């Protein structure tokens, strides 16, 4: 006789959260994402003693809202285009940020003029290895001593949520560093961990640090937030259709001003142009369309208009605040991790930065044009999808449950080739119209001269090493 078996080990599930690619920067980002998903336009961080408060003016939660929020893997935004994916990001972030101590959440929504409260006693949850029915919930009576503190934190907002987390010195420093311009930071942040990049597209959301009399607004990065006049030949946009066949093969077709192009295979060197509707229908006869993406690309025109083999020549004034002493050798200007990251195509899901689609390195210093090709044009790839766990776009683009472990190498090479093709075309146009006829400035000539001298020195060093080896 066959019997049914299988279960979930909650203790194993709880400890798996600490093996999901989280760090404290990413966890703070999860808290911000949750507030944005609740339609908050103001998010405030406050550090009082050893407590971190994160306050927003979002929708807030009542009892039903808390029940849904505390449910692991519940699809809170199934039919909405939100940051959330798998229903575990917030809970796992709270456990990680608090180092398994506690997290308290207070919330009030517009439907009821009363506070609701949830207590995540992580110490108890982890020691028992049990999450189910282990989060405390209650309504807060209006005569409770804590009401005045909550109202003070909420300021003039009638609804919203307050998160309370035990905060050690390390977490305090991370929060404070988040609100400095990258060039002024004392510690190094990865781009994918930096909220000014991750949430830079949310122009209507103000993120602030409030401490005593100090109020600092987060300095967010959004390269394409200006009018066309601030970019060489304006900002270009390409629509990319995403198609999937029954046998799970994928096809990406770009539409730039009515011209359709696609790569016939991952090894094809050039894209093929689709001539007419009949050809398009023939190509797509075995495919279903599952969604669209938008590629946005261009170059700000406030960078130096010179021919140069120095990547920094193509950095705009807007970007200078995001190039830090940790990312480049200030004296030589030879290496710049952050600049390499900036030039990669930024990949956004529902306006939240997921990661970088990394560009091929190439020999950027081979000549002026090659350097501009690699460092001149910036690009972003966007797509929107409903936040159901089974949506086809997330599946096709390999979005992970918590988004931390997304890997650009999982993307189709055909898609990457299509992105690169359009960026290269923009580079050619900008170079020919704005750079090619520009004189090579004296500083560039001196720079090339210095490079030649350095190469000579390296050659001499190698010769000396060879001589020593021969002697031995």
């Amino acid at each position: 006789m066959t019997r049914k078996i299988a279960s979930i080990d909650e203790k194993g599930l709880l400890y798996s959260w600490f093996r999901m690619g989280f760090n404290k920067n990413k966890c703070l980002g999860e808290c911000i994402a949750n507030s944005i998903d609740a339609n908050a336009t103001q998010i405030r961080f406050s550090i009082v003693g050893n407590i971190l408060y994160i306050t927003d003016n979002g929708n807030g939660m009542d009892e039903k809202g808390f029940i849904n929020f505390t449910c692991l893997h519940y699809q809170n935004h199934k039919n909405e285009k939100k940051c959330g994916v798998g229903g575990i990001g917030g809970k796992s972030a709270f456990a990680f940020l608090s180092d398994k101590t506690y997290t308290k959440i207070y919330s009030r929504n517009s439907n009821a003029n009363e506070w609701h409260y949830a207590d995540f006693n992580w110490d108890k949850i982890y020691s028992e290895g049990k999450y189910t029915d282990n989060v405390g919930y209650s309504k807060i009576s209006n005569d409770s001593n804590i009401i005045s503190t909550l109202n003070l934190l909420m300021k003039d907002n009638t609804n919203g949520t307050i998160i309370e987390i035990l905060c050690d010195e390390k977490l305090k420093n991370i929060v404070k560093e988040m609100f400095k311009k990258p060039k002024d930071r004392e510690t190094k942040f990865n781009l994918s961990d930096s909220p000014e990049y991750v949430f830079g597209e949310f122009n209507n959301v103000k993120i602030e640090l409030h401490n005593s009399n100090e109020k600092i607004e987060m300095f967010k990065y959004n390269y394409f937030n200006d009018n066309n006049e601030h970019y060489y030949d304006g900002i270009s946009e390409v629509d990319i259709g995403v198609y999937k066949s029954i046998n799970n093969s994928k096809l990406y077709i770009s539409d730039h001003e009515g011209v359709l192009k696609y790569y016939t295979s991952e090894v094809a060197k050039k894209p093929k142009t689709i001539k007419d509707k009949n050809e398009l229908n023939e190509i797509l006869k075995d495919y279903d369309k599952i969604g669209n993406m938008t590629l946005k690309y261009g170059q700000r025109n406030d960078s130096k208009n010179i021919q140069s083999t120095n990547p920094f020549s193509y950095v705009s004034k807007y970007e200078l605040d995001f190039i830090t002493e940790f990312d480049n050798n200030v004296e030589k200007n030879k290496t710049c991790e952050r600049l390499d990251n900036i030039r990669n195509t930024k990949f956004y899901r529902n306006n939240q930065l997921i990661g970088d689609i990394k560009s091929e390195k190439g020999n950027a210093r081979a000549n002026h044009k090659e350097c501009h090709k690699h460092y001149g044009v910036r690009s972003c790839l966007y797509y929107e999808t409903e936040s159901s766990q089974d949506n086809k776009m997330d599946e096709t683009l390999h979005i992970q449950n918590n988004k931390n472990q997304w890997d650009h190498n999982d993307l189709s090479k055909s898609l990457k080739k299509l992105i690169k093709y359009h960026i290269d075309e923009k580079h050619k146009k900008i170079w020919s119209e704005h750079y090619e006829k520009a004189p090579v400035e004296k500083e560039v000539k001196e720079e090339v001269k210095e490079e030649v001298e350095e190469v000579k020195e390296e050659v001499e060093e190698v010769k000396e090493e060879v001589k020593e080896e021969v002697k031995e």
Side-chain angles (χ1 to χ4, degrees):
M1 179 180 177
T2 302
R3 64 191 181 94
K4 295 182 179 180
I5 58 174
S7 62
I8 295 175
D9 184 333
E10 286 198 43
K11 186 172 184 178
L13 176 64
L14 289 166
Y15 277 95
S16 74
W17 293 351
F18 288 77
R19 297 187 295 275
M20 293 171 61
F22 273 122
N23 57 38
K24 295 204 172 184
N25 304 73
K26 291 181 187 291
C27 290
L28 291 169
E30 283 288 340
C31 296
I32 293 172
N34 281 347
S35 293
I36 290 173
D37 283 352
N39 299 317
T41 57
Q42 295 177 348
I43 304 169
R44 293 191 299 272
F45 287 74
S46 307
I47 298 173
V48 181
N50 64 344
I51 302 296
L52 168 65
Y53 293 102
I54 305 173
T55 307
D56 70 45
N57 66 342
N59 297 333
M61 293 181 285
D62 54 15
E63 182 176 356
K64 183 179 178 181
F66 268 105
I67 290 171
N68 291 340
F69 177 74
T70 56
C71 178
L72 295 182
H73 294 291
Y74 182 79
Q75 299 179 86
N76 285 293
H77 305 287
K78 183 176 180 180
N79 299 313
E80 301 173 280
K81 295 176 180 178
K82 298 291 187 178
C83 298
V85 176
I88 59 169
K91 278 74 76 178
S92 51
F94 297 155
F96 200 103
L97 284 171
S98 67
D99 291 324
K100 304 193 195 82
T101 54
Y102 77 87
T103 307
K104 296 179 181 180
I105 301 180
Y106 309 89
S107 197
R108 180 175 66 187
N109 69 11
S110 57
N111 297 325
N113 188 26
E114 57 185 358
W115 283 98
H116 299 256
Y117 162 73
D119 180 9
F120 293 80
N121 186 338
W122 296 114
D123 183 49
K124 181 174 184 291
I125 290 170
Y126 273 88
S127 63
E128 295 179 1
K130 183 175 179 290
Y131 179 84
T132 303
D133 295 330
N134 227 350
V135 177
Y137 163 79
S138 64
K139 293 180 183 179
I140 302 176
S141 62
N142 289 329
D143 59 355
S144 173
N145 293 332
I146 199 173
I147 290 293
S148 59
T149 301
L150 297 178
N151 289 335
L152 182 65
L153 286 166
M154 287 295 290
K155 298 188 182 298
D156 298 326
N157 298 319
T158 57
N159 50 268
T161 298
I162 300 169
I163 302 169
E164 177 185 323
I165 301 171
L166 190 64
C167 184
D168 60 15
E169 288 302 316
K170 182 178 179 180
L171 183 55
K172 289 180 186 179
N173 289 334
I174 290 172
V175 171
K176 291 175 183 177
E177 289 285 281
M178 271 175 28
F179 288 89
K180 293 180 182 179
K181 291 183 179 181
K183 70 181 183 67
D184 297 328
R185 286 178 181 159
E186 297 174 12
T187 56
K188 180 178 177 180
F189 281 29
N190 291 321
L191 277 183
S192 58
D193 298 343
S194 300
E196 75 271 12
Y197 285 93
V198 177
F199 304 103
E201 295 283 328
F202 292 94
N203 295 321
N204 65 323
V205 178
K206 183 182 290 187
I207 306 172
E208 296 177 326
L209 174 65
H210 286 214
N211 277 325
S212 59
N213 296 325
E214 183 182 39
K215 182 171 73 173
I216 306 171
E217 184 174 352
M218 182 173 288
F219 185 68
K220 290 189 288 187
Y221 179 89
N222 185 343
Y223 188 83
F224 296 110
N225 68 345
D226 276 324
N227 298 326
N228 271 336
E229 64 192 46
H230 295 282
Y231 305 83
Y232 290 122
D233 303 305
I235 301 170
S236 295
E237 290 191 15
V238 171
D239 179 76
I240 299 177
V242 183
Y243 303 85
K244 198 172 185 179
S245 69
I246 297 174
N247 63 6
N248 209 34
S249 63
K250 303 175 186 68
L251 185 66
Y252 302 89
I253 299 177
S254 68
D255 182 348
H256 182 229
E257 298 178 349
V259 179
L260 306 181
K261 290 184 180 289
Y262 75 108
Y263 277 84
T264 57
S265 71
E266 292 191 344
V267 296
K269 292 185 177 180
K270 293 183 178 180
K272 183 178 179 181
T273 302
I274 300 173
K275 298 176 182 178
D276 52 38
K277 190 173 182 179
N278 291 332
E279 184 179 356
L280 176 63
N281 291 336
E282 180 64 24
I283 292 168
L284 296 178
K285 65 181 181 181
D286 297 322
Y287 288 85
D288 291 323
K289 188 169 186 178
I290 62 171
N292 285 296
M293 294 186 287
T294 300
L295 177 66
K296 189 180 290 188
Y297 53 106
Q299 180 185 354
R300 285 179 175 264
N301 54 22
D302 61 357
S303 55
K304 296 179 181 178
N305 190 358
I306 59 173
Q307 297 178 22
S308 176
T309 56
N310 180 355
F312 281 85
S313 298
Y314 306 108
V315 172
S316 64
K317 292 178 182 177
Y318 174 82
E319 294 172 297
L320 289 177
D321 282 323
F322 298 90
I323 306 295
T324 79
E325 62 178 303
F326 301 102
D327 303 309
N328 66 85
N329 181 322
V330 178
E331 294 180 0
K332 300 289 186 181
N333 281 346
K334 287 235 170 174
T335 60
C336 182
E337 179 186 339
R338 183 63 58 103
L339 184 54
D340 275 339
N341 286 330
I342 283 176
R343 77 186 178 100
N344 292 330
T345 299
K346 297 285 165 289
F347 183 44
Y348 292 87
R349 175 193 181 274
N350 292 343
N351 280 337
Q352 180 184 7
L353 178 65
I354 301 300
D356 283 2
I357 302 174
K358 295 183 180 178
S359 309
E360 61 181 23
K361 288 283 186 179
N363 186 3
R365 287 184 176 271
N367 55 58
H368 308 144
K369 187 175 182 180
E370 192 70 14
C371 188
H372 179 267
K373 178 180 178 180
H374 288 281
Y375 288 100
V377 179
R378 305 286 180 260
S379 56
C380 297
L381 183 67
Y382 306 85
Y383 80 98
E384 293 185 347
T385 186
E386 292 184 349
S387 290
S388 59
Q389 294 175 357
D390 59 353
N391 78 75
K392 298 298 182 182
M393 283 294 283
D394 281 352
E395 179 186 334
T396 300
L397 298 170
H398 302 279
I399 302 301
Q400 302 299 309
N401 234 352
N402 62 346
K403 302 182 288 292
N404 295 331
Q405 295 164 318
W406 177 81
D407 187 348
H408 79 102
N409 290 308
D410 292 331
L411 289 181
S412 164
K413 290 181 181 178
S414 297
L415 173 60
K416 290 183 177 181
K417 283 175 173 281
L418 202 56
I419 293 169
K420 185 178 183 302
Y421 167 79
H422 287 289
I423 293 172
D424 286 351
E425 290 298 300
K426 184 76 171 183
H427 142 71
K428 291 175 186 176
K429 181 176 175 61
I430 293 174
W431 181 264
S432 64
E433 295 182 6
H434 301 280
Y435 283 90
E436 196 164 40
K437 296 178 182 179
V440 180
E441 292 188 1
K442 182 179 178 181
E443 65 179 83
V444 180
K445 292 180 180 179
E446 290 297 324
E447 176 190 316
V448 174
K449 184 179 178 181
E450 287 177 7
E451 290 177 7
V452 172
E453 291 301 321
E454 287 173 8
V455 171
K456 286 181 180 180
E457 289 176 7
E458 291 173 3
V459 170
E460 290 301 319
E461 288 176 4
V462 171
K463 284 181 179 180
E464 290 299 321
E465 290 175 4
V466 172
K467 285 181 182 180
E468 290 297 324
E469 289 178 4
V470 170
K471 286 181 182 180
E472 293 176 0

